[in-house]
Amino acid sequence: MNYNSKLTTLSKIMIIVVIVVVVTPVSILLFEERMAKTNLNILDNEIEIKAGLADRYYKSNAITDVYLKDTIPKFNKINGVDMGNINRGKFNVQGLGEGFLFLESSKGPYLYIIMGKDFVIINDKDEQKIKHFYTELLKYKKKLIYNY
């Protein structure tokens, strides 16, 4: 085996190592991000919204409004994930400003959670899941109103 042949074999091995060490974990991460579902947990004094690598925590007493809409204004990613219908992270939403999106579909309903100037918009392929989140948040919002 001559020197050039050894270099070619070594180059092939290096390419395989790079693929295994770099490309495979990135592919797994992207697959997991695409498959992750949005979860909303309502705790005593905060709400937790998680999906894949994106997560947000808000003081529950900061919620000023909760509503459902069948549409969402145009939006542009600031940072986060934008993979087709899956949009998670910080976005600039026309008419609302900068806020967080947890979108898994291009169809409504969209759950809007408003906290002063901050907001989160959530949707899911499963319409019932969003309606359930909405109902739970409304119950919690009523508790907040009665406690003041």
Side-chain angles (χ1 to χ4, degrees):
M1 196 182 262
N2 64 29
Y3 180 74
N4 286 336
S5 174
K6 287 181 183 178
L7 261 177
T8 304
T9 303
L10 185 60
S11 297
K12 289 178 184 176
I13 291 171
M14 292 296 285
I15 289 170
I16 291 170
V17 167
V18 167
I19 289 171
V20 169
V21 171
V22 175
V23 175
T24 302
V26 169
S27 297
I28 290 170
L29 185 65
L30 288 173
F31 177 76
E32 286 182 11
E33 184 66 32
R34 188 157 183 78
M35 300 308 291
K37 299 293 178 199
T38 301
N39 290 306
L40 174 72
N41 295 312
I42 303 170
L43 309 169
D44 285 337
N45 14 349
E46 70 179 9
I47 61 170
E48 169 190 53
I49 306 165
K50 290 181 134 190
L53 298 174
D55 62 350
R56 300 295 300 161
Y57 297 87
Y58 297 97
K59 294 288 183 191
S60 49
N61 62 2
I63 298 172
T64 55
D65 202 4
V66 177
Y67 56 91
L68 288 174
K69 286 182 79 172
D70 287 327
T71 60
I72 186 170
K74 290 182 180 180
F75 55 84
N76 297 308
K77 180 176 80 168
I78 295 171
N79 69 25
V81 174
D82 181 359
M83 295 188 301
N85 292 336
I86 298 174
N87 295 279
R88 296 186 190 120
K90 191 172 189 177
F91 287 74
N92 189 351
V93 179
Q94 187 176 5
L96 293 173
E98 292 182 7
F100 286 84
L101 302 182
F102 289 85
L103 307 180
E104 296 183 22
S105 170
S106 61
K107 298 178 182 175
Y110 296 92
L111 172 60
Y112 289 69
I113 306 169
I114 311 298
M115 292 134 315
K117 292 182 180 181
D118 204 0
F119 66 90
V120 177
I121 303 172
I122 304 170
N123 87 334
D124 194 278
K125 292 176 185 173
D126 180 1
E127 184 177 321
Q128 294 307 313
K129 182 177 177 182
I130 293 304
K131 289 180 178 178
H132 174 73
F133 286 169
Y134 174 67
T135 303
E136 291 302 309
L137 283 169
L138 277 183
K139 287 179 196 172
Y140 194 78
K141 185 180 171 195
K142 286 179 185 174
K143 284 183 196 174
L144 289 174
I145 291 169
Y146 294 129
N147 286 333
Y148 283 111

